[in-house]
Amino acid sequence: MSEQGLVLLVDDEAMVREATAQWLELSGFEVRCFSRAEAALEQIEPFCAGILLTDVRMPGMDGIQLMQEAFRRAPDMPVILLTAHGDVDMATAAMRDGAYDFIEKPYVPDRLVERLRRACEKRRLTLENLRLQQNLATQSGIDARLIGISPAIQRLRREILSLAELETNVIIYGETGTGKELVAQCLHDYGKRSKRPFVPINCGAIPENLIESELFGHEAGAFTHATKRRIGKFEYASGGSLFLDEIESMPLNLQIKLLRALQEHVIERLGANAPISVDLRVIAAAKVDLREDPQFREDLFYRLGVSELHIPPLRERIEDVPWLFVHYLRKGALDNDREPRTLSDHDLDALQSYAWPGNVRELKNIAIRYAIDPRVSLVELLSRQQPLQSRPVAHRQSLPLAVQVAEYEAQLIREALEQHQGNIKSVMDMLDLPRRTLNQKMQRYGLNRSDFTLS
């Protein structure tokens, strides 16, 4: 494939066809020439990498009929029509039917090259999205649960499957939002205890005076308001796996009791004297290295940390971002009965240049918001995560120049629409923009004229 892309050129006039092909090849395109529409159709299939440039008036199948048949074979293929002066109305109607653009003869070669370049880039992105979705749809097992292609995520999947077969306790390290509970769930589901309960508990979310009862249970009357016996998480998880998230927040006095339970495989409910045998695997998760935490018992660490897993933050596996985003985007559209949205080159650049301080949890949130609101642009969503002026310098630097410029451009257009109460002609004059350019930018940034008009 050439640097600029592949063009399927259809024109029944040999001299025009050869001259156009020569100019396009000098401009960096790969060109395949056809004198008849029927011959060009043989090259068109759903994953055809090219775009279609066709004359409108030809013997046999004309350019409009060729476009319609091309859309049946490759619905997203860009089609650019070459028209004579008298065909402009026909070409305009064809654009309403899905044509990417039309160029009136005689055309300016540089203008044709620029439009073809944009169409080829659109086709490249469309195919990338199609292949991405196709690959996601065919994935199964742990590949479909821990999504990504980076070496880091591939290594993590292998480590999980290896540890899942063992009975050792495991500590999972990772920043907030990296998916520690999902990793713990995979350790359980692909291990010997998969038919038994997986019981998660967030140690940092339970008040200190209640966490002992949550873990070990209590008898009726053990304390005020304990009106009946309650089975704790340890007892309930027996035979399966207990997941202790944010274990670094566990109070010191409870760490001692947890250590005894792990060493002796017995617990006692609050208010009871009889020991209860438990058989479970403990998977713990922490945001900090427990070795360096002075508030965490060293003997408990050695009991828990027989094996360790480290989940990299999203910023360290940025090549996984499009895969994750498309997955959650598709799921968000399906769950909310919305048409799936596609990602532009601008979108992909923004996704892979953003720092993702909230990791996968933040990405999922933005993907779903983007899926359910067709008025909003992805750049705008990313810029809303934190006002630009209040971002730390390091965070601002994580955004590419193109994204920062787009934020400013969207702000200027929004302010102009507000000032002129949605009057498009006044906004065009104020910003010195042609109507088509303004419409494209408003669509990109999710700006609707009706939102700024007086009711």
Side-chain angles (χ1 to χ4, degrees):
M1 181 66 65
S2 66
E3 180 183 346
Q4 298 294 350
L6 169 65
V7 177
L8 306 181
L9 171 62
V10 187
D11 198 309
D12 61 310
E13 295 185 39
M15 291 182 62
V16 174
R17 186 173 66 246
E18 291 169 7
T20 303
Q22 184 177 21
W23 177 259
L24 294 181
E25 286 171 348
L26 289 172
S27 301
F29 294 92
E30 177 186 346
V31 184
R32 297 179 190 171
C33 296
F34 305 92
S35 59
R36 295 171 48 254
E38 293 83 355
L41 278 175
E42 296 177 5
Q43 301 286 315
I44 298 175
E45 43 83 23
F47 284 92
C48 174
I51 65 168
L52 182 62
L53 175 64
T54 179
D55 191 17
V56 171
R57 296 196 177 276
M58 297 183 294
M61 179 182 286
D62 65 24
I64 302 298
Q65 293 170 320
L66 172 58
M67 178 189 76
Q68 293 167 346
E69 182 58 34
F71 285 160
R72 279 191 281 272
R73 301 183 182 207
D76 299 305
M77 171 178 272
V79 177
I80 297 179
L81 302 171
L82 295 171
T83 69
H85 180 70
D87 295 329
V88 171
D89 289 342
M90 181 193 304
T92 303
M95 287 191 68
R96 289 196 295 269
D97 292 336
Y100 179 81
D101 208 342
F102 72 89
I103 296 178
E104 190 176 353
K105 297 178 180 178
Y107 52 81
V108 178
D110 288 340
R111 186 176 301 170
L112 172 63
V113 166
E114 180 56 32
R115 293 185 185 182
L116 288 173
R117 185 178 291 119
R118 289 201 301 268
C120 284
E121 178 62 15
K122 180 178 187 296
R123 183 58 175 163
R124 183 188 68 78
L125 289 167
T126 298
L127 291 177
E128 188 173 304
N129 280 323
L130 285 172
R131 292 191 181 99
L132 192 60
Q133 294 183 37
Q134 187 181 63
N135 289 339
L136 284 170
T138 58
Q139 286 182 336
S140 60
I142 196 170
D143 289 351
R145 300 178 68 177
L146 292 174
I147 295 169
I149 59 171
S150 66
I153 204 68
Q154 293 181 49
R155 181 171 59 252
L156 180 61
R157 287 195 292 254
R158 290 194 301 269
E159 290 173 347
I160 289 171
L161 293 177
S162 178
L163 284 177
E165 300 174 355
L166 308 178
E167 286 289 290
T168 58
N169 297 328
V170 181
I171 297 178
I172 301 170
Y173 289 107
E175 295 178 5
T176 297
T178 49
K180 294 186 289 293
E181 184 169 345
L182 175 59
V183 169
Q185 181 80 60
C186 288
L187 279 170
H188 173 79
D189 290 348
Y190 294 102
K192 301 172 183 176
R193 298 175 179 266
S194 60
K195 303 300 182 184
R196 304 293 295 166
F198 173 80
V199 182
I201 181 169
N202 189 316
C203 301
I206 302 171
E208 187 173 339
N209 62 327
L210 295 179
I211 191 169
E212 185 173 357
S213 173
E214 278 290 316
L215 285 174
F216 303 122
H218 62 255
E219 296 288 348
F223 51 85
T224 306
H225 304 307
T227 57
K228 59 182 180 180
R229 172 186 288 177
R230 186 178 189 280
I231 300 298
K233 301 295 187 185
F234 255 82
E235 193 173 346
Y236 181 68
S238 189
S241 303
L242 178 66
F243 175 54
L244 300 175
D245 198 6
E246 295 190 24
I247 196 168
E248 68 271 23
S249 63
M250 181 174 285
L252 191 60
N253 66 314
L254 196 61
Q255 291 181 35
I256 299 171
K257 295 183 179 182
L258 175 59
L259 177 62
R260 176 176 179 270
L262 294 177
Q263 286 176 336
E264 301 179 14
H265 304 286
V266 296
I267 61 164
E268 289 180 7
R269 300 192 194 110
L270 288 175
N273 295 314
I276 301 170
S277 296
V278 290
D279 170 33
L280 47 77
R281 183 186 200 181
V282 174
I283 303 169
K287 299 189 293 290
V288 298
D289 191 338
L290 298 178
R291 298 178 188 83
E292 300 176 2
D293 186 349
Q295 300 300 313
F296 200 82
R297 290 181 61 96
E298 188 177 30
D299 48 6
L300 179 57
F301 167 75
Y302 289 128
R303 178 63 62 173
L304 286 170
V306 179
S307 301
E308 295 181 4
L309 287 172
H310 295 263
I311 308 176
L314 202 49
R315 63 183 175 274
E316 293 180 7
R317 54 184 186 103
I318 208 70
E319 59 265 58
D320 294 337
V321 168
W323 290 73
L324 287 161
F325 197 87
V326 168
H327 169 75
Y328 288 118
L329 181 64
R330 186 174 60 182
K331 188 176 187 306
L334 183 65
D335 291 347
N336 294 280
D337 196 26
R338 292 285 194 270
E339 284 294 319
R341 299 181 69 178
T342 57
L343 300 177
S344 68
D345 185 39
H346 198 61
D347 293 333
L348 289 170
D349 183 46
L351 284 173
Q352 295 188 285
S353 300
Y354 183 62
W356 298 109
N359 290 297
V360 180
R361 186 177 296 151
E362 181 185 20
L363 180 145
K364 179 180 179 181
N365 174 273
I366 293 176
I368 293 174
R369 287 160 60 191
Y370 185 63
I372 64 179
D373 188 354
R375 300 169 301 174
V376 69
S377 73
L378 184 53
V379 168
E380 189 174 9
L381 274 178
L382 290 173
S383 67
R384 286 179 191 169
Q385 289 304 98
Q386 195 176 354
L388 187 60
Q389 57 270 30
S390 66
R391 290 181 186 141
V393 172
H395 186 81
R396 285 204 303 272
Q397 290 174 345
S398 72
L399 292 173
L401 178 62
V403 176
Q404 297 183 52
V405 170
E407 287 179 349
Y408 184 60
E409 185 177 60
Q411 179 184 340
L412 290 177
I413 297 173
R414 189 182 296 106
E415 289 173 353
L417 286 164
E418 289 173 351
Q419 181 177 334
H420 295 288
Q421 299 173 359
N423 186 306
I424 296 298
K425 181 66 169 62
S426 299
V427 173
M428 289 164 53
D429 293 340
M430 178 179 177
L431 300 177
D432 192 22
L433 288 175
R435 186 177 190 111
R436 184 174 181 182
T437 302
L438 177 61
N439 288 342
Q440 289 173 340
K441 291 182 181 295
M442 287 174 62
Q443 184 177 15
R444 178 189 300 169
Y445 300 129
L447 299 172
N448 295 298
R449 173 182 172 276
S450 59
D451 294 335
F452 300 91
T453 56
L454 294 177
S455 55

